[in-house]
Amino acid sequence: MRRVLLVAMLPWMSGAYADESAIGSVKTVVGEASVTTTGVKVKAAVGTPIYQGSQLQTGHQSTMGVIFKDETVMSFGADTSFSVDEYLYAPAQGKLKLTSKLTKGSLNYISGVIAKLKPEAVIVNTPSGAIGVRGTQFLVRVEE
């Protein structure tokens, strides 16, 4: 009986852990888009979880929108490659950080709680420089 109960709880336990470690999720997808985490590439769909280290890509004539735990909203245009390098969101402990990299394509960024509480904690790196967030919204495009 104990074995049956333990086996029955394993899927629930592993699902709960995955949800707790997600830092955001896909909100919209048009066309082809993917999320790659720890080497595993999945087709992006509404609700696909985003984790620290995830790489997000959109295809030709495709777009994707994501929302993070702190309510930061990012929208990606066609042919975009973006990664979430570091994400810390524990406002009660003062742990706030969002470091990311836009390798190519376009990004429309709308600030969430991290940028409102600690603007210097948000950095978007690009091949030609780093963007520090001091406002609530910006649009950037990186050409190949």
Side-chain angles (χ1 to χ4, degrees):
M1 182 68 167
R2 287 184 188 172
R3 247 189 240 169
V4 173
L5 180 59
L6 180 59
V7 171
M9 290 179 63
L10 285 176
W12 176 79
M13 292 169 60
S14 64
Y17 177 76
D19 289 341
E20 289 175 10
S21 64
I23 60 172
S25 64
V26 173
K27 297 304 284 183
T28 62
V29 178
V30 175
E32 294 183 28
S34 64
V35 176
T36 304
T37 304
T38 61
V40 178
K41 184 177 182 178
V42 297
K43 183 177 180 179
V46 173
T48 299
I50 308 295
Y51 299 94
Q52 181 170 298
S54 288
Q55 297 177 342
L56 290 66
Q57 291 188 310
T58 60
H60 187 65
Q61 296 183 339
S62 301
T63 62
M64 177 168 48
V66 300
I67 186 164
F68 291 87
K69 280 185 172 180
D70 74 309
E71 300 178 6
T72 295
V73 176
M74 295 186 186
S75 300
F76 307 99
D79 298 318
T80 294
S81 182
F82 178 86
S83 63
V84 183
D85 299 330
E86 187 175 11
Y87 187 89
L88 295 173
Y89 182 59
Q93 290 98 30
K95 295 179 179 177
L96 301 167
K97 186 85 173 175
L98 174 53
T99 304
S100 59
K101 187 183 319 172
L102 179 67
T103 308
K104 68 174 186 171
S106 61
L107 162 67
N108 183 15
Y109 170 95
I110 300 174
S111 293
V113 176
I114 293 174
K116 290 175 183 153
L117 294 177
K118 193 174 179 183
E120 67 277 9
V122 179
I123 298 172
V124 178
N125 291 304
T126 70
S128 58
I131 299 169
V133 176
R134 302 295 179 264
T136 57
Q137 183 175 8
F138 67 85
L139 176 65
V140 61
R141 177 162 183 80
V142 173
E143 302 287 334
E144 286 188 71

